[in-house]
Amino acid sequence: MAVEILKEKYRGQVREVVLGAAKDKGGTRSHTVKIGGETTLPFLHFEGNIPNRPVVAMEVWDIVPEGWPESLKSNFEDVYDDPAAWAKKCVEEYGADLIAVRFMSADPDGQDASPDDCIPTLKKVLEAVGVPLIIYGCGKSEKDNLLIGPLGEAGAGENLLLGVAEQDNFKPVASAAMANGHTVIAQSPIDINIAKQLNVLISELSTPLLDRIVIDPTVAALGYGIEYSYSIMERARFGALQGDRMLAMPFIANIGGEVWSKREAFVPHEEEATWGEQPERSMMWEATTAMALLQAGADLLVMRHPRAVELTKQNIDELMKDNSY
Amino acid sequence: MIIIGERINGMFRDIAKAIREKDPAPVQEWARKQEEMGAGYLDINVGPAVSDRVDAMRWLVEVTQEASKLPLCLDSTDYDAIEAGLEVCKRPAMINSVPAIQEKMDRVFTLAGKYDAEVIGLAMSEEGIPKDSDSRIALAMELVANCDAYGVPVQNLYIDPLVLPCNVGQDHGPEVFETLRQVKLMADPPPKTTVGLSNISQGTKNRELINRTFAVMAMACGLDSAIADACDEELIAAVATARIILNMDIYCDGYVDVFKNQNK
């Protein structure tokens, strides 16, 4: 007897978001990257369309990173002091689909670099690679609010993905995106209601921005509450597929920063004998976190270790194979 | 709950005049306004005073479609007028309505199959509106059986248990709620449900309060849609809130505005 495959029919669709702009749209990227557009849950090709494969961005800092373990650091040793060369290496050697530049030099407790200090770095990275860019500040919102406007202006027309808009601080990023044709990362603290409300607030500022939002639901690393991230992402995606326009945006998952700040990434073998060797274990921690979040619906992963990126991209290849019947 | 906007109806003087004078402006203004307020369908009723219902229905459908993309709910007891409307509808419409009377069901479900239309089925027969839920449910079952026999998907059938004014038929209220609950157990997938909301408050002094109280109570019993005043802001806010409490929409602080702006 033939088995009847049950298929769910959804009336909604995740919005398709374009990252980067090539010459025809006023940018200088060699190509653009599309994410989102799903009409079903992750990788259920038999049920709906997954028109765009998930992509991986690699992180580049504008200062030599402090506190990265040697096993991670050694992959970039020759390019650390040159963000443009670092970005180029990530794209050409390690296959990064996008580059996420973190302007850590702006940290007021560190170098306290000014927007004018940061702009040349942005321009150099734009010249060095053709892939679309993600732009993050130093993570301290008071300073980042001053930084994002000038950086957005310096990259006008490039359709940068600008981080991060938050519920009580969304205007600087949203305004920079509106003014210069960029896209917004809307970040919420593992809270679906805030994720939705933030999109409502951004759309009240500018309705067309609704098609230029990527949701950062705040992901946790494996072992640090990843199941909460998973639940939030799954519920938001169900909402999107059932027609909730205010949650129908693709997801960005900030994996590298979460994983590489956790004990499992650092602690040497001698201290935790049952955990396995630190270099392999930490890399696998990042790859496994990424693979779990792909299943939750992540469309854009921000990662650090080249081997973890490679494994994740292999996993994406497998998951994107047609399973319709 | 999907709101079927009730305002394009020849019972209203401005619409009656528009039909008489073939002036599309008032019709199109109401079409746009109801769409903006979040209506999911637009009810189209030529009203009692028209001489040529077929012609009036065709005209109303055509001018409404010029102003709004919403699907239409063709509201008439004259099935020739409904068919004339269906012929010019650009997207699948809803037929409003058919009672559980065999020759009427034969005509309407045939039309529904031909035009891929949804159907509102009234839980009443030649003998009128039943008093209790059991008799309403028996009639609903007849509608479901006929719908299925004509090959129309049961989820395209909207059962209307029929609401009476609460100052006249107070004892009907609980029977309507029970019918709504039972209809959802009739088939898998079950039929949908609808009511003419303003009926509940006919002749009362607190019409809007009664309408929205009834609406949220009925939603909790499985009401999917209602022919209602899409411009009643308090009603829309109550419906949006009920959808949150029933876990049909994901909460956010601006949920009322999100619901109101769903067509924008």
Side-chain angles (χ1 to χ4, degrees):
Chain A
M1 204 173 84
V3 176
E4 194 190 340
I5 305 298
L6 286 176
K7 294 179 186 176
E8 202 68 53
K9 254 195 205 161
Y10 298 106
R11 63 192 176 95
Q13 178 177 16
V14 179
R15 293 165 197 266
E16 200 165 62
V17 174
V18 179
L19 305 174
K23 223 175 170 179
D24 59 326
K25 295 269 160 69
T28 63
R29 303 301 79 208
S30 60
H31 61 281
T32 58
V33 169
K34 264 192 218 167
I35 56 173
E38 299 93 333
T39 61
T40 181
L41 292 174
F43 311 113
L44 303 187
H45 302 282
F46 67 91
E47 198 172 78
N49 289 329
I50 320 277
N52 301 300
R53 51 177 281 142
V55 291
V56 181
M58 287 183 76
E59 265 183 56
V60 167
W61 288 22
D62 74 335
I63 57 167
V64 176
E66 283 169 25
W68 287 19
E70 193 50 38
S71 65
L72 174 60
K73 224 171 171 174
S74 57
N75 297 288
F76 310 103
E77 231 147 32
D78 49 336
V79 289
Y80 259 159
D81 47 358
D82 183 349
W86 184 352
K88 207 169 156 68
K89 188 178 180 105
C90 286
V91 173
E92 289 175 6
E93 273 183 48
Y94 299 142
D97 299 308
L98 295 94
I99 293 296
V101 186
R102 280 191 195 277
F103 288 92
M104 301 302 281
S105 68
D107 188 339
D109 299 325
Q111 295 179 23
D112 200 17
S114 70
D116 283 346
D117 299 330
C118 296
I119 287 171
T121 304
L122 172 64
K123 295 209 159 151
K124 276 184 211 154
V125 177
L126 280 167
E127 266 169 42
V129 295
V131 300
L133 300 190
I134 306 170
I135 301 298
Y136 286 109
C138 64
K140 293 179 180 157
S141 57
E142 271 176 33
K143 181 67 184 287
D144 290 346
N145 288 347
L146 304 175
L147 199 61
I148 204 69
L151 284 177
E153 212 177 312
E158 295 285 3
N159 189 11
L160 306 167
L161 180 55
L162 301 180
V164 293
E166 295 175 275
Q167 187 181 23
D168 50 7
N169 184 36
F170 63 94
K171 282 186 180 155
V173 167
S175 308
M178 262 165 70
N180 293 297
H182 302 305
T183 300
V184 175
I185 299 176
Q187 191 184 68
S188 41
I190 319 192
D191 184 319
I192 193 168
N193 307 127
I194 293 177
K196 184 169 172 177
Q197 182 65 15
L198 179 52
N199 292 339
V200 171
L201 293 171
I202 294 172
S203 73
E204 281 169 2
L205 196 66
S206 156
T207 312
L209 270 187
L210 267 181
D211 290 315
R212 301 213 312 266
I213 295 176
V214 179
I215 295 176
D216 179 351
T218 307
V219 298
L222 181 63
Y224 288 83
I226 198 171
E227 54 275 44
Y228 293 100
S229 307
Y230 190 101
S231 300
I232 294 292
M233 292 167 76
E234 185 186 47
R235 181 133 191 266
R237 190 52 58 89
F238 262 127
L241 294 174
Q242 282 158 6
D244 191 335
R245 297 159 64 236
M246 290 297 163
L247 282 169
M249 291 77 177
F251 293 120
I252 181 170
N254 223 315
I255 291 163
E258 285 299 319
V259 168
W260 292 97
S261 59
K262 298 296 177 289
R263 253 188 111 228
E264 284 76 1
F266 283 93
V267 172
H269 188 212
E270 296 77 49
E271 274 181 44
E272 291 283 359
T274 56
W275 284 10
E277 298 288 345
Q278 179 270 335
E280 176 83 359
R281 176 221 310 152
S282 55
M283 182 278 293
M284 285 305 293
W285 211 263
E286 185 175 31
T288 313
T289 300
M291 289 176 196
L293 291 169
L294 281 172
Q295 294 294 343
D299 298 276
L300 168 52
L301 312 172
V302 183
M303 300 179 65
R304 288 186 184 168
H305 197 293
R307 175 70 181 141
V309 169
E310 188 185 357
L311 289 174
T312 303
K313 292 189 82 164
Q314 281 171 12
N315 186 231
I316 294 171
D317 287 341
E318 288 296 316
L319 290 168
M320 285 305 289
K321 280 184 190 157
D322 187 15
N323 61 7
S324 51
Y325 38 82
Chain B
M1 189 178 84
I2 297 165
I3 306 267
I4 303 168
E6 68 185 3
R7 195 53 179 72
I8 302 178
N9 188 319
M11 271 183 356
F12 293 101
R13 247 181 269 162
D14 56 345
I15 301 295
K17 185 162 173 265
I19 295 171
R20 234 181 4 257
E21 294 171 4
K22 289 271 160 86
D23 171 15
V27 176
Q28 295 181 336
E29 196 181 309
W30 278 114
R32 275 189 286 267
K33 204 166 168 187
Q34 294 183 99
E35 180 171 348
E36 260 173 39
M37 292 299 292
Y41 290 77
L42 297 176
D43 194 70
I44 304 290
N45 187 322
V46 298
V50 201
S51 51
D52 186 347
R53 289 193 212 140
V54 169
D55 185 56
M57 179 65 92
R58 194 182 292 125
W59 180 79
L60 263 186
V61 167
E62 280 170 345
V63 298
T64 304
Q65 287 184 134
E66 285 168 16
S68 169
K69 284 194 178 64
L70 291 181
L72 305 182
C73 177
L74 308 182
D75 185 356
S76 180
T77 48
D78 179 341
Y79 296 133
D80 291 335
I82 289 206
E83 181 153 22
L86 288 170
E87 276 170 3
V88 290
C89 274
K90 287 181 186 156
R91 51 195 69 79
M94 188 186 277
I95 300 172
N96 183 10
S97 55
V98 63
I101 295 173
Q102 196 57 50
E103 70 267 19
K104 295 193 173 179
M105 290 192 286
D106 291 339
R107 173 91 196 262
V108 167
F109 286 119
T110 306
L111 280 178
K114 185 173 169 193
Y115 293 97
D116 191 21
E118 296 176 307
V119 176
I120 293 177
L122 307 178
M124 64 178 288
S125 64
E126 291 93 337
E127 290 149 35
I129 300 175
K131 262 210 143 75
D132 60 359
S133 62
D134 283 349
S135 321
R136 281 178 162 93
I137 290 158
L139 294 172
M141 200 61 227
E142 269 186 55
L143 288 156
V144 169
N146 274 273
C147 175
D148 191 44
Y150 277 95
V152 174
V154 171
Q155 62 270 35
N156 287 3
L157 174 64
Y158 287 69
I159 299 292
D160 181 348
L162 291 167
V163 172
L164 296 183
C166 67
N167 58 349
V168 183
Q170 226 174 333
D171 51 339
H172 280 263
E175 306 297 328
V176 166
F177 292 143
E178 181 57 19
T179 309
L180 288 172
R181 276 190 285 265
Q182 292 294 329
V183 161
K184 288 297 173 188
L185 307 174
M186 269 180 191
D188 184 19
K192 297 207 175 75
T193 53
T194 196
V195 294
L197 186 64
S198 334
N199 283 354
I200 192 69
S201 63
Q202 287 283 358
T204 68
K205 284 204 162 163
N206 265 322
R207 293 211 61 177
E208 291 183 343
L209 175 62
I210 292 169
N211 287 347
R212 65 180 179 264
T213 304
F214 178 84
V216 298
M217 291 176 76
M219 284 173 74
C221 299
L223 182 65
D224 296 303
S225 65
I227 301 164
D229 178 2
C231 301
D232 176 350
E233 299 225 10
E234 293 295 321
L235 169 66
I236 305 294
V239 169
T241 306
R243 286 185 62 87
I244 294 290
I245 292 168
L246 290 167
N247 194 26
M248 298 163 87
D249 287 329
I250 293 171
Y251 174 83
C252 73
D253 291 342
Y255 73 86
V256 173
D257 288 330
V258 171
F259 184 76
K260 278 185 188 165
N261 293 332
Q262 59 187 317
N263 291 331
K264 285 185 191 162

